Structure formats: structure tokens, C-alpha cells
Amino acid sequence: MYKKLFSTAVLLAGCLSLSAQTYNTEFKSTSNGNPISPVVFCADPTALEYNGRLYVYGTNDHQEFLANGKKGDNTYGNIKSIVIFSTADMVNWTFHGTIDTKRLCSSWVTSPWYQGYGVSWAPSVTWRTNAETGKDEFFLYFCNSSHGVGVLKANSPIGPFKSPLNKLMIHYDSPGAFPQGTSANFDPGVVVDDNGVGWISFGGLNDNGKILPDNARIAKLKPSMTEIDGKAVRIPAPYHFEANELNVIGGKYVYIYCSHWSRNDADWNAYKAEKGISASRPGGGTMCYMVSDNPMDPDSWVFKGAYGPGVAGNNHSHLQKFKGNYYHIYHDHGSVLLDGMKKAGAVDASAGDYRSICVVPANVRESSATLSTVTLKLEGCDAIDTVNPYELQQVETFATCGGLEYEDFTNIKKNGLINTLGNDASENMQVKMDAGDWTLVKKVDFGTTGASKFMLRAKGTGKLEISAGRKGGSSVATVEFSSTNMEDHVIDVDVTRLKGIKSLYFLITSATDAYLDAWQFTESGADGIQTVEHNSVVKRQSYDLTGRAVSPNHQAGGIVIEQTTDANGMKHYRKHLSTKQ
């Protein structure tokens, strides 16, 4: 059971500088938002918005990176999990761990071989409220190499996920799919339309040099969302190669894909004339899009052009609306993160093609489902919200960092061939930090009254310095901790120094087996560690980390996730410790 430790206040004068302290190397600039993770390689992004957060899922390149000993090229063969990140402000990102697809799909049939499990690449995710049960359901689809598409299901965006089938959902024998030896049944793109109907696109490779390679498919999903309803039909996508995604914008179906590199001007001019379109010929490896009012009618799809620039190597993106704004989520090929690691000597010089997820603003005209060309930039996105320091914040939430590692302290798996970043995606995460490790959390809003106390949930022995404004700036708080279990270490802080909006650097200056889980400030005038209540809470329910509903103070104690629903029907979540009754 956790306990709170109220320590003697450690207040440092404003003139005290941390410039003498060592900050471990960062692999992306503190001024840049991209990539979203400064320590985890991931690719092929997909996303969903849920309860005020944007959840981004991707292929776990980092698993291959570690399995290869941080050297050599990415061959994708060791990737058997999917990563999850989320954000509320587009600047600070929370790492939720990984979905262990190998374990979840271990019971899949092995005969015929192509219906069994092998790897997990290029996820696509969606959610809906089940009309019969009234419960929210989350569906995650992934490609099993080029052989087909698998599906997982959960009751929350971070799981726990389960496999509702005992084999691939789409494979060589599926109606309308590609037979073995032809194109690939991979790279799924899924969406639920305005009528609650699910759709899935898939296909790619084998471009055969033609402007219309006939290697893209779309199918309607049955109400279960785990089975095709009827037969898949073709999408006549010019220069189609891979990376399928679906959206519904302004009542229209929008299909996005990566184009191949084969080109012939005569073919393109003839295609334009036949279709009566004005779109320019897309460049190789660009993200193109088509629009339809009737997705099962191949002739209804209209090519609109390229909206996403090419990147070095293969391309894969997702278009996502979040809090009223559109974003282009894509991956690069290590040009920032991998190069930064190489310059710091953190990886072997031979390491290559380990990708990183990035995000930039997108401009969409919803009335016509028109996408403007996006600009890829390292700066990323502006913050659209601030961080509330008076709510419990996870240590694994930050804009960038230096030196730290992730671990799931409930059930760490040491076998890197199974999973290298943790277990099923969970909020039950902690961060291992050594001397010199640090994180940066941007846009922390202390308001006008300021903070009077600070709480760090940690175990092991260490010392944490907090500075505001810049790396190496003067300290605003110092907390020392020493405990064998996760405990709350609370200190007083100088209220005059923590007002307004600040960027906070959390630096570990000394550590022995130090693991950090969460932090929280107390607003001046409040008693104890407070969590800001959302106005007009009309419903409150607590869940354990498996998603099972429990009483607020259930017998098991430990960490619970509390869900509150306000008068507007919005759901809000916080993780906290319950106590044994």
C-alpha cells in the first residue's frame, strides 16, 4: 500500500543555478515537436480522438531496433507489438506502453499457415458506442506481414485488448481479397461512417508499373466489426502502392494511400482526360487521396491529387481531426531521432531505417472534402491547451527528454523477442531515471495564485531538481526521496516562483534504482494534494487497470482509474491510489 511522506521543505533561492548539473543528451531539439517521441522508434501511424485526448498508434520499430542490438537495418521481422501514445495539447505526449500482439494472437490457427500470426505492422484504429449495450468499443486492425489483416478489440483506447477471432480477419481466401502470389492483403485503413457502419480498406505492393495497378480494396464490415460483410471491391487508385487509410469528411468517404514510383506522362494524360479531372500527376511516394459518395462503387471514386509530401523511403500517414483542428500524422526514417543517436554515440553507425512518428497541422475544407498540401516541419504543432499541474500527471508525459527508459512495473517482461517496451498498453507505467536524466513538460499553467506544495511519486533513492523556463535555469524546487515502494514524497515550494505558464525541466541529479511514476502540485490555499474537479459532475465510476468496474475504495487497494461524466456528457479520467477498506 502506498503512503504519503511529507518531507521538510527544500526551498532554493532564485540565484541558485543548475548550470553545473549534467543533463544527459537529448536526441531532438527542445524547440521541436517532431518526432513525438524522443526515445521510441515507431511508424505507420493511425489515431483516434476520445474524451479530449488524441491517441496515436504505430508499428513498434523500437522492438526491431532492440532485437538487432541497436545496429543494422530494420527488416521488420521482430516487430510483434504496437505502441500507443496520447496527447491533450499536441506538444506533450504520454507513452502508454505496447500491445503485445504475439501473446494476444498466440492461439491463432496455424493451418493454413497464412491465417496464423507472424508479425504486426501498420495498425488502423477506430471506436464506436455499441447501439445495443451503450458501451464504447475500440477496434484495432493490423497487417500480418503481407498475408492479411488481424483485429483486436478493447473497451478503452489503451486496452486491455483481446483477439475476438482465432485467425486473421482478412486473408488470401477472403471474398474479394487478393489470392496468394498476387498483391498484398495488408495496411488496413478503417473508419466508422456517420450511420455507424464500419468500412475497411487494404491492399498494396505489386504495382506492375501500371497507372491503375488494381491492388487496392475496400469492404463493408458487419455490425460486429470483426467480419467482412459480403465481398471486397476494388478502389481504382492511380499509382497505388500501400499505406491505406479511410476518413469520412463532410459526409464523403476519403481514401488516402501512398503512391508508387513508376511514372509515364502519356498514361497520366490519358487518365486525366478519361476521368475529367484537373489534379496534377502525383510524385512518387506521396500521400494521395480519393473521394466517394458510394464506396462500394468503383466508378464513384474520384482522384483528387497528392496532399502529403514524400519522405525518404516508404510513406505512411493518417489524417485526424482533433479538438476542431486537422492534423497530418506521418513517419520519417530516422532523420532526426536516429541521426541524433548516432551523433551522440548511442547507437551503432550501421543502424538504419528505424522510423519516427511526426505530426503537423493539416488544412481541410470539410464541405468538399478537399485536402490542402501539408508542409512537413520539425517544429511540429503549436500547443492547443495547457497542462494543469494541480491534476496528477504521469512522469511518462513530456515534450522531450534525455536519457530515460520506460518500464511497466507490474509485470516487466525481460524477453526482448516477445516485447521490449512493456506489456499490454496500460496507465500503470513508470519511468526509470538515472543521474542526468531529465524531461521537459511545456505549457504548465499555474494560474495567478501559484503552487505551494509539490508531490513526487517515486521509489528507490534519488534527488529531483525542478527548473522553470530553460534547461540549466535556476531551481524552483528540490525533492529527495528514498523508499523501497512507490510512495508520495511531498515538499513545500515557493509560491511566488510558480505562477503563470511555465516550461518545467525535471532533472534527476542523483539516483540509485530510481523509478518515477507521477507528480502533482498543490495550488496555494488548497489543503493536501488536490485534483481539480470538473464542473457539475453527474456520474462517477472507478475501474481497475484491467477495465473492470470497482468501488472507489475497493478491497484490493492500489491504482484505479476514476471516470467522471460532467453535465455536458463529457467523460474525464484520472489515475489515483485507492485505499484498502
Side-chain angles (χ1 to χ4, degrees), residues 176-381:
F178 301 106
Q180 187 175 351
T182 58
S183 297
N185 296 303
F186 80 156
D187 282 13
V190 66
V191 72
V192 174
D193 68 18
D194 298 335
N195 297 314
V197 178
W199 301 87
I200 189 166
S201 57
F202 61 94
L205 304 182
N206 191 30
D207 61 60
N208 60 41
K210 296 181 179 180
I211 188 172
L212 292 175
D214 190 27
N215 58 358
R217 295 288 184 269
I218 187 169
K220 183 180 178 181
L221 293 173
K222 290 186 176 181
S224 67
M225 297 287 289
T226 61
E227 187 178 357
I228 288 179
D229 188 356
K231 181 180 179 180
V233 301
R234 68 185 180 91
I235 300 178
Y239 303 123
H240 178 268
F241 184 61
E242 61 180 5
N244 313 283
E245 277 290 337
L246 284 173
N247 288 81
V248 174
I249 301 175
K252 298 181 182 294
Y253 298 84
V254 179
Y255 170 61
I256 296 171
Y257 64 94
C258 176
S259 64
H260 65 63
W261 286 262
S262 301
R263 293 291 183 274
N264 183 295
D265 285 336
D267 288 343
W268 177 249
N269 291 334
Y271 176 82
K272 283 184 62 177
E274 177 188 353
K275 299 297 181 181
I277 61 174
S278 59
S280 300
R281 188 189 72 174
T286 55
M287 299 307 300
C288 302
Y289 76 107
M290 303 184 77
V291 175
S292 170
D293 293 314
N294 182 10
M296 295 299 283
D297 177 7
D299 293 333
S300 70
W301 288 99
V302 178
F303 181 79
K304 293 291 189 176
Y307 94 99
V311 297
N314 67 354
N315 204 352
H316 199 126
S317 71
H318 177 75
L319 180 69
Q320 180 66 42
K321 188 176 184 180
F322 176 55
K323 294 185 177 179
N325 302 308
Y326 279 93
Y327 296 94
H328 174 71
I329 312 172
Y330 65 101
H331 68 229
D332 73 5
H333 286 255
S335 59
V336 175
L337 185 54
L338 187 59
D339 286 352
M341 289 182 175
K342 287 182 178 180
K343 290 177 182 178
V347 302
D348 190 86
S350 66
D353 202 35
Y354 297 102
R355 300 161 296 178
S356 300
I357 291 177
C358 305
V359 58
V360 293
N363 187 8
V364 177
R365 182 180 299 172
E366 292 186 331
S367 60
S368 60
T370 301
L371 316 183
S372 298
T373 302
V374 299
T375 300
L376 309 185
K377 54 183 181 179
L378 293 179
E379 293 88 339
C381 304

Side-chain angles (χ1 to χ4, degrees), residues 13-35:
C15 60
L16 182 58
S17 173
L18 294 180
S19 57
Q21 300 291 351
T22 299
Y23 283 76
N24 287 336
T25 303
E26 61 180 310
F27 303 128
K28 77 170 191 179
S29 169
T30 55
S31 61
N32 290 336
N34 285 324

